[in-house]
Amino acid sequence: MTPVDGVVMDIGVSSMQLDQPERGFSFQADGPLDMRMSQSGESAADFINSASEEQIADVIYRYGDEPKSRRVARAIVAARPLTTTGQLAAVVRKALGHKPHDRKDPATRTFQAIRIHINRELGELSDGLVAAERVLKPGGRLAVVTFHSLEDRLVKRFFRERSGSTPAGSRHLPPAAVAAQPSFEKVGRAVRADEGEIAANPRARSATLRVAHRTAAAPWAGEA
């Protein structure tokens, strides 16, 4: 493995993929329920047509922050089989109550959650952070751009832990095991798109950039 001076990770989903109805990522145009970035393995249709109501609800709640995930999952199971994005979106809208003037389509959270689950997006991000830690030279920089709160929380926690910034435990509890030496330092504040950038690229609205410098300490063992 050749050490490098910098690693940049852009965690956003490809706009070209999102805009192709046949890839099944979006409910803006009807297409097959696919959502696989690699176009291999379990598809969105495979998941929602075979998983239990509890499993579907858990995915929608965990990865979509959907407070009515149980209601949505129940509606999905009752409507199976579902094979197109339009069918799934219609089921979710009916379950949650869709009004034409709503600023955000109620199907958004469910589609995001299923996409994240199918592609193991948070697991891939975690693996990427660990790989970057191992390949960076001392003084090298790791820059990560995320596009929703689940990703940003994972990156923020990784940098906080690896820089030794995790809050100390209670003095009333037994001392925790000695942690590894900090593998990152100079963790900068999060940077977000300004009004000008958002006007030029509306999809940058949810982007968050975090940067940290690699120390000379050995990489930590285990996952992010």
Side-chain angles (χ1 to χ4, degrees):
M1 183 183 299
T2 303
V4 299
D5 294 312
V7 173
V8 177
M9 300 174 63
D10 181 342
I11 313 303
V13 180
S14 167
S15 295
M16 291 184 291
Q17 290 182 335
L18 289 178
D19 294 338
Q20 295 174 6
E22 63 272 18
R23 298 300 302 276
F25 286 102
S26 175
F27 47 78
Q28 301 298 333
D30 199 23
L33 260 178
D34 193 327
M35 298 195 193
R36 297 172 297 177
M37 294 180 185
S38 66
Q39 297 184 292
S40 64
E42 182 184 46
S43 69
D46 293 333
F47 170 68
I48 67 168
N49 287 320
S50 63
S52 69
E53 181 179 317
E54 183 179 1
Q55 289 173 318
I56 295 171
D58 182 57
V59 165
I60 295 172
Y61 181 79
R62 180 184 301 175
Y63 299 134
D65 288 330
E66 174 55 70
K68 298 178 181 177
S69 60
R70 292 186 182 277
R71 181 188 300 180
V72 173
R74 188 160 52 247
I76 288 173
V77 170
R80 297 193 300 201
L82 299 171
T83 59
T84 71
T85 57
Q87 290 173 345
L88 176 58
V91 169
V92 178
R93 289 167 184 155
K94 183 177 180 180
L96 297 179
H98 178 45
K99 301 178 180 62
H101 62 271
D102 287 345
R103 188 173 66 175
K104 186 174 183 179
D105 193 301
T108 302
R109 290 175 173 174
T110 294
F111 270 69
Q112 171 186 291
I114 294 173
R115 190 203 77 219
I116 290 172
H117 170 72
I118 289 299
N119 294 288
R120 193 181 166 267
E121 291 182 27
L122 297 184
E124 293 289 344
L125 172 55
S126 179
D127 292 346
L129 293 171
V130 170
E133 178 189 39
R134 291 172 180 162
V135 76
L136 278 168
K137 295 178 181 178
R141 296 185 183 185
L142 171 56
V144 188
V145 181
T146 59
F147 287 85
H148 60 73
S149 59
L150 291 175
E151 296 169 343
D152 184 51
R153 284 200 295 267
L154 194 158
V155 174
K156 183 178 180 180
R157 184 179 71 242
F158 176 82
F159 281 158
R160 184 174 64 240
E161 291 176 348
R162 288 332 203 236
S163 65
S165 300
T166 302
S170 170
R171 62 188 177 87
H172 301 292
L173 296 175
V178 178
Q181 291 298 309
S183 57
F184 284 93
E185 63 178 356
K186 296 182 180 179
V187 178
R189 299 184 66 175
V191 178
R192 296 179 174 85
D194 59 23
E195 293 182 2
E197 185 172 359
I198 293 172
N201 178 18
R203 283 178 172 167
R205 182 181 302 278
S206 57
T208 301
L209 169 66
R210 294 186 184 274
V211 181
H213 294 187
R214 186 72 169 86
T215 69
W220 287 28
E223 301 177 354

